[in-house]
Amino acid sequence: MSGPGKLAPKLCDDFLNFDPNKTLPTARLLVDHSPPVGEGQYLSYKIGSCRHEYTTKHTQSILPPLDSRPDATTTYKLSVVCKKCRLHAVVVTDYARSTDPCPNSGNPQHHFRNLPDEGGSSATQIAYAWQCSASQCQAQLQITYRTPRLTDGDRDLLTNTERLKRRFDAVVEHNPSRDGLRQATPMEALSRLRKYIHDSLNPTHNRRAFPADNKRFMETFGVHGKECLPLLQRLGFKYDEADTGFEWSLPNPEVINNRLTVDVNDERELLEDVEFELAALMFRIAIDTGAMNPSASEGWSDAKHDLERTLAAQGYPRYAPLRRVAPPNDLLPYFASLGALPDFADTLIEFAFDRQLDCDPERQSYYFECLQEIAKNRASEQLQTRVAMLHSQDMVSRRDVSAAFRHLDIPLRLPHEKPITDEYILDCFQARQANSSAAVAEGNRDALYKIGISRHSQPLISASKQSVETYEEALAWLGQSANKDMPDDMLLAIAATKQESASDKEIARKAISTIARERKSEPLNNWLLTGSSSGFEMTVEEAMQHITGTATTNLSAIDATILGIQIDSARSDRPGEHTEKAIRTIQKAMAHSPATWPVGLVSHGNTCYLNSLLQYYFGMKAYRDIILNYDQYKLDLHDATVKEHRVGGTQISTTEIKSGQRFARDLRELFQRMIKTRDSSVMPSKDLVCRAFLAPERYSELASDAIDDDVMPNGAEEHADTKISDVTAPIAETPDPDSASKEERRASVASSATLQADDDAPMLDHGDRPPTPPASPTLKALPGKESSHSAPPLPPRRRATLQEMEKAEDKALKEAEEEAKKQQDVTEVHDSATQRLRAGMKALGVDDKTEEQVDALRVLYTVAVTDAVLRTDGTREKPSVSMHPGIQLNVPMEDTDIYSALDEVFDLQPSEREQGQEAFKSIRTLPPIVQVCIPRIAYENGQTSKFTKTVKLEDELYLDRYLENSDIFASREACWTLRRRLRNMRRERRVLRDADVAPDLDVPGVMSEAAAHLESLSGIDAEVVDIGLGSGLEIGPDLASDMKSAAERHSQRVVVLTKEIDSLHSELKSKCETAYRNLKTSKYRLAAVFFHRGGHGGGHYWLDIHDFTNNIWRRYNDETVQELPDNRIHEILEAKTYDHGTPTYVVYVEDSQKEELVQPVCRDPEPAPEPVQWENESARPAPFNTVDPKMITEGGRASWDSPRSVAETAW
Ligand SMILES: [Zn+2]
Ligand SMILES: [Zn+2]
């Protein structure tokens, strides 16, 4: 139980002023408490209330004896009645629970708290209950009100002179001869009844009956008293026929032994009450009429003293000055709130305050305000001392709290009843604190402190005291919604903003230190040590939060493709060290052991398929080997400067040969880095990017090209014995693990080498080739070959500066990226790259027909395709043969599968060579690697569009059915007709159904929408004509309905077509299965798939490779290489959604060689550099801070001081 109470004197005062008949159920002066000042209406007695004049009904009361203290057996009872309103009240105090009743040493007064559940009311009674809050007392108090016994009708009956006159007339009429009759006055009527009652209450009164025709009786109550019979009988009078005639007898109420347990309907107490009420009415009549009151001498003693005694409230210490000056009205509510009276002495005021605080701590700040106000008004030293002491004990008054809220600009109430939380207050405080001067900041903290105290909120108090001793305090102090889930780096970011203010700097460090201790956080400790967050290692969780917005450490569940996009957008949206760190952290976490996992390639930007293609070349062992051992395959320009054979159908120039070889060297350099790096990814050189996309004529612009390409004449012999195992042999160009800075290093090496060469190195004569330095760093590593470079020196060339070269290189890179954007798909980039590589290679032979160079690369992937014209008479011509780098499918216009798509290529179709004839293609020879291009860009309806239809791939692909083989020709032929029909129907359905104008609608849908629109237009049309604005749009009257019916026709046709297509498709399928069931010799396995997502000329690219040896698929997504789990293989085999991307190039390998052909893991990471061990201290290089004194004198102090001090801290 909690809540405020009232000291006994206050309750007495309220009792005397309380009129239960004139009060609202919610504002009962006696029972309720006024709301705090300013928060509602002050409770006072209601206008119209009776200013009671209670007198004690002594016979009904058990009053405390003057000289005894109550104990557990004690109950006191005070019964009173009001002279004015005749209200009866019973006040009972029960000490049954008391061990030491008030007043005692600690409790000078009872402090009564209302017990709302223990009252009750009926038609004539209402009761309230209280209990003293002192634990040793717990006195129970009950006050019961009872309505008057005499009704208004009774009163009228007895005092209405008209009625008294009628009764008199009736008595005279009854016995006209009777002498001395006169009309009774109201006073006489009351007095006579009161006398009868008084007599009847006296047990010793003997004469208890009188004749019914008593003269005075009849004057008052009528003939034989019959007119007042109901009242008299209600009071217990009896009317009987006796020997002497009719008579009335008085009530004879029993004597009551126990006044505490007396029944509410007890006859004696009824009569006692009526006796008091009659006396009260007589006082009233005396006042109203001036009539003599025969009972005036009995008086009407005031019950107040008895009341005070019953509540033990008598004689409390009073505030002396009050006799001279009344307290101001606006102070009264504060007394009332303390349950006190304005005349309480300071001691009792303090006691009242203490009791209220004890019983209603929630309103502590308000009670303190009450005390403050009273102390101020009284200028009392005692109370003011108390107030000051409480201040020092961290008590704040409500007024101070309101001021604090105002100070911090926090509203006392939020709209929509939204609660004001600690967090809200803290945020307001932090926001203010951020822009405050030191003095204001101090004021803010004081305000926050007061609010914290009033709310009993430790976080607010701690924040105001700048205490950061606990985890919670530290977070609260940081503010800005810092919480336990916030990652370290965000906390550091907040701490950094705090650091800007000198006063907060130290506390910020303390706060971080507290948090670091709690979290055992390395990054936070690091920050404390180094003062910067740049040195700390981000956790994977934090990094993921930063990049993806989701804090997770379960990286295996993450789609590398999506992560790649998120990384891209993080780089563009939030560029900076933090983002880069997060990316590195994630990549590190995703990286596998360097020895067993392929390395990723950092993207250079918009170079489209290049990274995927480089990964493809690397992952296909056959390709990789050729590049790593390219010197074995390259054409020796000493032997032949001109190519005899064609490459890719064209004649090759010397420049192209050289640039091809240069490209191969860059590729080899990259591959070597991919093998040897300890990192999870490397970045291809800018030059490589340029060489992949720029025309060979422009290679000379590249910085690295300045080093040389002169080694080529001899290079072949020099490196003839280089095997894959040798590629890690030390060469000057050994890749720096830090691939990003590699290029700068390289460029700088290149230029210095060039400059040096110009001065003192012998030069080779290379005719038209640009002058070059004597020996590439590559060759320096291989001793004994220098002599072959002897040649007359060239005239000195212009010295190109490093800046110029870098500028030219950046320009070239930009242009390369521009070129890259023009590439339609991976095929073009792939073709151009293999073309370059092959241009630099020596021919192993020549293709008779095409004069095409036969080389080691070409044999890996070249498909020989025959094309035979099938004449209308059924005869076949001798087929022509052509060589292709793979099989190119048609742009899939509908969802399809790899066999259907291949069928389209090899089916009978209009001949490309002979007008009007039909022809079909077959495969004559299959290479180990079958590259299938799925073009996605088609020119349709006047524009270039990308088609992302699904092409379902087969993991195992049998190509026998397309082979040039007379045994299966009949089967193929049988399918052609069916397929042609199927194709035609699909084409028709496509035209009827697929509308490009509205993505949600098919063609019939578009047409009916249009028809509806036309109809609405014709309505508008009529209106337009109506208001005279013109002649309208002139829409044909039938157009809309024509369109409508056409839409319906199309719609029906599509349904029919779909049905036919489905049945035809299954017929074909079963036919094929039967025909090709046994044709499973040329088995190929899906090895690699290139994906694209996004629009034409942009988007995102990645590559999936099947590692047959380890039997896993990996996704190569720029710098990330991740396993694609089994449950996601369907994303490769049947890419359907935008997220899956669109396969644009798929690679199958011959089944029996698959593990030899595809070997994506090729790693030989260099060991980590050993820390240098100095044999003795003197061998250690001189530390930075031993500054050469000569330097100081020469350079001047100012310029040397700063580096020296930096060096000192570093050591
Ligand atoms: Zn009254
Ligand atoms: Zn008490």
Side-chain angles (χ1 to χ4, degrees):
M1 167 179 159
S2 77
K6 292 174 183 178
L7 293 197
K10 164 70 173 162
L11 194 73
C12 285
D13 196 59
D14 286 347
F15 172 78
L16 295 173
N17 287 307
F18 177 61
D19 187 346
N21 292 314
K22 294 276 186 266
T23 195
L24 300 168
T26 52
R28 299 159 304 178
L29 176 67
L30 178 64
V31 182
D32 299 322
H33 292 263
S34 294
V37 174
E39 292 179 23
Q41 184 140 30
Y42 171 56
L43 284 190
S44 179
Y45 58 84
K46 288 278 169 293
I47 291 172
S49 293
C50 177
R51 308 299 305 263
H52 303 297
E53 286 184 38
Y54 286 122
T55 192
T56 305
K57 297 183 282 180
H58 283 276
T59 52
Q60 296 182 9
S61 301
I62 306 162
L63 294 176
L66 286 170
D67 53 356
S68 95
R69 275 176 58 73
D71 58 35
T73 64
T74 310
T75 303
Y76 298 133
K77 179 180 177 184
L78 169 70
S79 292
V80 295
V81 60
C82 174
K83 191 165 85 175
K84 293 175 177 169
C85 65
R86 292 181 283 122
L87 187 73
H88 300 268
V90 182
V91 179
V92 177
T93 46
D94 179 349
Y95 290 93
R97 301 185 187 187
S98 302
T99 52
D100 184 11
C102 312
N104 55 40
S105 56
N107 297 279
Q109 291 289 334
H110 288 304
H111 179 251
F112 285 116
R113 282 192 292 179
N114 183 239
L115 305 170
D117 297 334
E118 294 190 16
S121 65
S122 69
T124 55
Q125 284 208 121
I126 183 159
Y128 305 108
W130 291 260
Q131 181 179 312
C132 177
S133 68
S135 57
Q136 308 100 313
C137 176
Q138 298 187 38
Q140 307 284 306
L141 167 66
Q142 183 160 27
I143 297 179
T144 309
Y145 289 97
R146 199 167 59 207
T147 51
R149 303 282 193 168
L150 295 174
T151 64
D152 288 348
D154 297 335
R155 181 183 168 181
D156 188 67
L157 181 70
L158 294 173
T159 61
N160 187 323
T161 46
E162 288 297 315
R163 297 180 77 170
L164 286 168
K165 184 175 183 298
R166 274 204 303 276
R167 292 208 284 272
F168 170 71
D169 291 345
V171 171
V172 170
E173 195 181 320
H174 176 70
N175 188 356
S177 61
R178 191 126 180 214
D179 285 341
L181 285 173
R182 59 181 178 81
Q183 188 182 324
T185 64
M187 185 68 90
E188 284 166 338
L190 296 170
S191 175
R192 284 167 190 171
L193 179 58
R194 187 163 180 266
K195 181 76 176 73
Y196 287 123
I197 290 172
H198 187 79
D199 288 346
S200 64
L201 285 169
N202 182 0
T204 60
H205 187 78
N206 295 323
R207 213 179 132 247
R208 300 198 80 89
F210 54 91
D213 60 352
N214 176 286
K215 199 161 59 178
R216 299 290 170 246
F217 178 76
M218 291 213 292
E219 282 170 7
T220 311
F221 304 105
V223 178
H224 283 207
K226 275 183 183 162
E227 211 197 331
C228 296
L229 190 73
L231 170 65
L232 293 170
Q233 288 184 331
R234 205 177 85 216
L235 296 175
F237 290 83
K238 289 190 179 71
Y239 178 65
D240 272 319
E241 191 177 7
D243 304 339
T244 53
F246 287 95
E247 63 173 21
W248 280 92
S249 42
L250 294 179
N252 195 14
E254 279 183 32
V255 175
I256 300 167
N257 293 318
N258 187 350
R259 283 288 177 169
L260 289 173
T261 56
V262 67
D263 186 85
V264 70
N265 295 316
D266 182 83
E267 196 181 12
R268 177 167 285 271
E269 289 214 334
L270 167 70
L271 291 170
E272 285 170 356
D273 286 354
V274 170
E275 189 187 359
F276 272 100
E277 288 187 33
L278 289 168
L281 288 173
M282 287 160 75
F283 277 108
R284 180 87 219 168
I285 283 174
I287 289 165
D288 288 352
T289 64
M292 231 270 289
N293 181 359
S295 67
S297 62
E298 294 172 28
W300 190 271
S301 62
D302 190 350
K304 188 179 176 192
H305 185 62
D306 292 335
L307 178 71
E308 287 180 347
R309 284 174 60 205
T310 310
L311 296 180
Q314 75 277 26
Y316 58 87
R318 304 284 206 287
Y319 176 57
L322 197 60
R323 288 173 198 147
R324 298 191 299 271
V325 187
N329 277 340
D330 57 4
L331 199 64
L332 296 178
Y334 289 115
F335 286 107
S337 292
L338 292 182
L341 288 174
D343 68 349
F344 277 16
D346 289 348
T347 324
L348 209 50
I349 292 285
E350 275 193 74
F351 174 68
F353 167 76
D354 288 338
R355 295 313 303 145
Q356 247 15 7
L357 220 60
D358 203 31
C359 294
D360 189 20
E362 282 187 16
R363 267 194 281 216
Q364 169 181 294
S365 63
Y366 172 62
Y367 296 130
F368 189 42
E369 179 181 327
C370 296
L371 187 66
Q372 258 185 336
E373 289 299 308
I374 294 167
K376 199 172 83 186
N377 175 265
R378 289 189 177 181
S380 144
E381 197 184 328
Q382 181 182 348
L383 294 185
Q384 285 179 334
T385 308
R386 181 73 196 280
V387 166
M389 204 174 78
L390 290 167
H391 260 308
S392 74
Q393 289 167 359
D394 286 348
M395 192 173 286
V396 264
S397 74
R398 188 189 62 158
R399 164 164 308 178
D400 298 339
V401 174
S402 310
F405 270 92
R406 277 196 304 276
H407 187 90
L408 293 179
D409 258 348
I410 303 171
L412 288 168
R413 275 176 198 81
L414 291 179
H416 312 301
E417 303 288 313
K418 223 176 115 192
I420 297 180
T421 61
D422 282 0
E423 287 72 29
Y424 178 82
I425 293 167
L426 214 47
D427 282 348
C428 292
F429 167 74
Q430 300 285 8
R432 248 186 110 68
Q433 204 67 340
N435 323 309
S436 292
S437 68
V440 173
E442 183 63 40
N444 292 343
R445 277 198 296 278
D446 189 49
L448 183 69
Y449 175 73
K450 284 175 174 160
I451 295 170
I453 291 288
S454 73
R455 294 170 67 96
H456 310 287
S457 160
Q458 199 52 48
L460 297 189
I461 295 169
S462 301
S464 74
K465 286 181 168 173
Q466 309 220 349
S467 166
V468 291
E469 297 303 315
T470 69
Y471 190 20
E472 288 76 14
E473 286 171 359
L475 290 169
W477 184 84
L478 284 175
Q480 298 180 32
S481 306
N483 57 55
K484 293 185 179 181
D485 297 327
M486 194 176 267
D488 286 351
D489 61 326
M490 285 183 73
L491 291 179
L492 288 181
I494 295 173
T497 64
K498 297 270 187 184
Q499 292 267 26
E500 289 161 18
S501 136
S503 61
D504 284 352
K505 199 166 181 173
E506 221 14 72
I507 303 165
R509 289 184 59 81
K510 265 192 209 157
I512 292 297
S513 159
T514 302
I515 297 168
R517 199 165 53 236
E518 175 70 26
R519 292 190 176 184
K520 299 180 177 57
S521 158
E522 199 50 45
L524 296 185
N525 280 321
N526 209 324
W527 182 83
L528 291 167
L529 276 174
T530 65
S532 92
S533 59
S534 59
F536 83 83
E537 283 294 312
M538 206 179 267
T539 67
V540 175
E541 209 174 356
E542 288 161 357
M544 288 301 290
Q545 174 72 45
H546 184 76
I547 298 297
T548 69
T550 316
T552 177
T553 48
N554 181 14
L555 295 179
S556 62
I558 290 157
D559 185 334
T561 319
I562 291 167
L563 183 64
I565 291 164
Q566 285 167 333
I567 285 175
D568 286 350
S569 55
R571 272 192 173 126
S572 64
D573 297 346
R574 290 157 280 160
E577 175 55 27
H578 198 74
T579 296
E580 290 305 317
K581 176 167 278 173
I583 293 169
R584 280 199 299 278
T585 304
I586 293 168
Q587 283 163 358
K588 208 169 142 190
M590 293 181 88
H592 295 70
S593 157
T596 58
W597 203 255
V599 71
L601 291 176
V602 180
S603 175
H604 260 291
N606 207 347
T607 48
C608 297
Y609 282 103
L610 185 63
N611 273 355
S612 294
L613 198 63
L614 295 173
Q615 289 285 14
Y616 171 61
Y617 292 154
F618 188 86
M620 304 300 282
K621 183 173 183 293
Y623 286 164
R624 181 174 68 225
D625 283 354
I626 287 174
I627 287 157
L628 285 171
N629 304 305
Y630 192 75
D631 289 344
Q632 291 178 23
Y633 301 98
K634 72 180 182 185
L635 179 67
D636 188 341
L637 278 173
H638 273 250
D639 300 343
T641 50
V642 182
K643 275 245 158 153
E644 298 159 18
H645 313 307
R646 290 164 174 268
V647 174
T650 55
Q651 208 70 48
I652 297 300
S653 71
T654 316
T655 311
E656 284 170 309
I657 297 169
K658 283 189 286 185
S659 57
Q661 295 179 347
R662 199 66 191 77
F663 177 55
R665 221 172 82 184
D666 280 356
L667 261 183
R668 185 180 67 196
E669 185 266 345
L670 174 70
F671 282 9
Q672 285 168 343
R673 280 201 284 141
M674 288 168 77
I675 292 165
K676 289 164 68 179
T677 185
R678 290 188 312 273
D679 293 341
S680 62
S681 62
V682 299
M683 186 184 250
S685 69
K686 286 182 196 170
D687 286 1
L688 176 59
V689 177
C690 295
R691 287 186 213 283
F693 294 104
L694 290 183
E697 295 75 34
R698 306 199 43 197
Y699 279 19
S700 57
E701 295 168 21
L702 305 175
S704 62
D705 212 52
I707 300 178
D708 81 334
D709 48 2
D710 56 329
V711 296
M712 277 184 291
N714 311 310
E717 294 93 52
E718 284 160 4
H719 292 275
D721 56 348
T722 308
K723 294 209 171 59
I724 181 139
S725 55
D726 298 323
V727 295
T728 56
I731 42 177
E733 282 182 275
T734 294
D736 189 319
D738 182 2
S739 56
S741 64
K742 164 76 181 155
E743 279 319 292
E744 283 69 30
R745 284 263 312 276
R746 233 182 106 97
S748 118
V749 165
S751 60
S752 61
T754 306
L755 296 174
Q756 203 180 13
D758 287 343
D759 293 336
D760 52 29
M763 294 304 234
L764 296 171
D765 182 6
H766 291 313
D768 58 332
R769 280 182 292 133
T772 49
S776 83
T778 311
L779 287 180
K780 279 181 184 159
L782 299 160
K785 300 288 181 183
E786 295 295 327
S787 56
S788 63
H789 293 293
S790 53
L794 279 174
R797 63 187 270 202
R798 189 183 76 85
R799 295 175 184 220
T801 66
L802 185 58
Q803 286 87 346
E804 278 175 333
M805 284 185 181
E806 280 178 351
K807 220 167 144 189
E809 196 169 49
D810 284 345
K811 181 165 163 271
L813 185 63
K814 271 215 173 60
E815 288 173 24
E817 287 180 5
E818 282 308 307
E819 284 299 313
K821 273 188 219 170
K822 290 182 198 159
Q823 310 290 337
Q824 278 209 339
D825 53 44
V826 65
T827 320
E828 288 189 27
V829 191
H830 182 26
D831 283 352
S832 129
T834 43
Q835 167 82 3
R836 277 167 206 210
L837 290 171
R838 288 182 60 218
M841 291 168 79
K842 59 188 172 202
L844 299 175
V846 64
D847 189 296
D848 310 338
K849 292 251 166 49
T850 58
E851 293 180 21
E852 186 73 15
Q853 163 184 306
V854 175
D855 54 58
L857 196 52
R858 184 174 179 262
V859 297
L860 290 174
Y861 59 77
T862 302
V863 185
V865 176
T866 62
D867 187 4
V869 174
L870 186 66
R871 298 208 179 281
T872 39
D873 59 7
T875 58
R876 267 187 283 163
E877 279 198 349
K878 188 172 186 293
S880 67
V881 185
S882 54
M883 311 300 272
H884 301 269
I887 301 168
Q888 170 142 352
L889 304 179
N890 298 331
V891 178
M893 298 296 199
E894 290 202 323
D895 290 349
T896 183
D897 57 80
I898 184 75
Y899 279 122
S900 302
L902 285 168
D903 287 342
E904 270 195 50
V905 176
F906 294 103
D907 270 0
L908 188 67
Q909 49 205 291
S911 170
E912 291 160 9
R913 293 177 293 137
E914 287 191 41
Q915 196 76 35
Q917 301 294 326
E918 288 195 309
F920 66 94
K921 294 187 171 84
S922 304
I923 298 171
R924 179 163 284 177
T925 56
L926 280 166
I929 299 168
V930 172
Q931 304 175 137
V932 181
C933 166
I934 312 176
R936 294 293 186 170
I937 311 297
Y939 190 75
E940 202 189 48
N941 301 332
Q943 60 182 25
T944 309
S945 319
K946 186 185 173 193
F947 289 82
T948 56
K949 297 294 177 190
T950 301
V951 178
K952 192 167 173 276
L953 302 176
E954 295 287 341
D955 182 35
E956 297 180 353
L957 187 72
Y958 298 95
L959 291 171
D960 308 55
R961 63 189 75 174
Y962 307 113
L963 286 175
E964 191 184 33
N965 180 342
S966 52
D967 294 345
I968 57 169
F969 181 70
S971 305
R972 287 183 69 188
E973 203 171 18
C975 293
W976 286 344
T977 334
L978 282 178
R979 269 205 295 271
R980 178 170 301 177
R981 264 179 60 202
L982 189 60
R983 255 201 306 278
N984 287 340
M985 280 193 281
R986 279 192 167 139
R987 200 169 297 137
E988 187 188 351
R989 182 172 68 173
R990 204 173 105 73
V991 170
L992 288 181
R993 191 181 61 182
D994 298 356
D996 291 333
V997 285
D1000 305 336
L1001 291 174
D1002 56 9
V1003 170
V1006 170
M1007 287 170 80
S1008 32
E1009 283 290 311
H1013 182 61
L1014 283 175
E1015 275 176 349
S1016 74
L1017 270 185
S1018 67
I1020 294 165
D1021 217 26
E1023 277 175 38
V1024 168
V1025 176
D1026 247 20
I1027 58 176
L1029 276 181
S1031 55
L1033 299 168
E1034 293 176 357
I1035 296 165
D1038 300 328
L1039 185 53
S1041 62
D1042 284 355
M1043 272 184 87
K1044 234 184 189 163
S1045 55
E1048 274 160 31
R1049 278 201 313 277
H1050 285 184
S1051 198
Q1052 285 160 6
R1053 176 69 183 148
V1054 167
V1055 173
V1056 172
L1057 276 172
T1058 304
K1059 224 164 142 185
E1060 283 182 25
I1061 286 167
D1062 287 349
S1063 79
L1064 199 59
H1065 187 255
S1066 45
E1067 186 189 342
L1068 234 165
K1069 216 175 144 194
S1070 70
K1071 250 204 170 91
C1072 286
E1073 272 167 19
T1074 322
Y1076 302 133
R1077 188 180 299 139
N1078 299 318
L1079 292 173
K1080 296 199 168 170
T1081 326
S1082 300
K1083 181 179 178 180
Y1084 281 77
R1085 290 293 297 276
L1086 187 62
V1089 183
F1090 289 78
F1091 282 93
H1092 175 237
R1093 174 167 58 207
H1096 173 44
H1100 195 77
Y1101 309 86
W1102 67 92
L1103 168 75
D1104 292 345
I1105 296 181
H1106 192 178
D1107 181 343
F1108 293 102
T1109 313
N1110 296 303
N1111 197 27
I1112 56 169
W1113 278 91
R1114 289 192 194 87
R1115 180 151 289 184
Y1116 293 71
N1117 199 332
D1118 286 337
E1119 56 259 64
T1120 322
V1121 183
Q1122 212 181 12
E1123 180 178 349
L1124 201 71
D1126 284 352
N1127 61 5
R1128 289 182 57 194
I1129 303 296
H1130 67 93
E1131 292 177 24
I1132 306 171
L1133 294 178
E1134 197 169 2
K1136 274 182 170 166
T1137 66
Y1138 179 83
D1139 280 347
H1140 293 167
T1142 311
T1144 59
Y1145 202 78
V1146 299
V1147 179
Y1148 282 92
V1149 293
E1150 210 270 309
D1151 184 52
S1152 62
Q1153 301 181 60
K1154 60 181 182 292
E1155 289 179 28
E1156 173 61 23
L1157 287 167
V1158 188
Q1159 288 187 9
V1161 184
C1162 178
R1163 297 290 295 268
D1164 185 15
E1166 291 175 319
E1170 292 282 321
V1172 182
Q1173 300 289 326
W1174 303 105
E1175 286 192 5
N1176 55 56
E1177 274 306 301
S1178 62
R1180 182 193 288 265
F1184 297 120
N1185 57 354
T1186 53
V1187 177
D1188 184 354
K1190 198 174 72 192
M1191 280 177 162
I1192 292 175
T1193 48
E1194 282 177 5
R1197 270 204 106 76
S1199 57
W1200 282 101
D1201 267 0
S1202 55
R1204 187 179 57 177
S1205 64
V1206 167
E1208 270 168 356
T1209 32
W1211 281 110

